[in-house]
Amino acid sequence: MSAAARTVLERFPAGHPRGSWPADEYAAAQRAQGTDARVVLDLPSDEYLVVTDTTSQ
């Protein structure tokens, strides 16, 4: 079984004063444009990643 490929659309620092809000707002804007985007926290890089399971090709 292979893992689903993810595309990172944007990265936001986890230490941002507004927390995950910038990432959440970006993901919401992407969803409004039809991209199934969600926010995940990448612990090794200490960043919020906005990802999609669909590839942009």
Side-chain angles (χ1 to χ4, degrees), residues 35-53:
T35 301
D36 184 26
R38 58 194 159 90
V39 177
V40 296
L41 176 60
D42 181 50
L43 292 175
S45 67
D46 196 30
E47 293 178 314
Y48 290 107
L49 307 178
V50 179
V51 299
T52 183
D53 289 333

Side-chain angles (χ1 to χ4, degrees), residues 2 6-8 10-12 15 19-22 24 26 28 34 36 39 45-46 50 52 54-55 57:
S2 65
R6 290 184 184 166
T7 301
V8 176
E10 192 62 70
R11 299 170 182 269
F12 297 88
S20 67
W21 287 6
D24 292 330
Y26 183 85
D36 184 26
V39 177
S45 67
D46 196 30
V50 179
T52 183
T54 58
T55 57
Q57 294 184 3

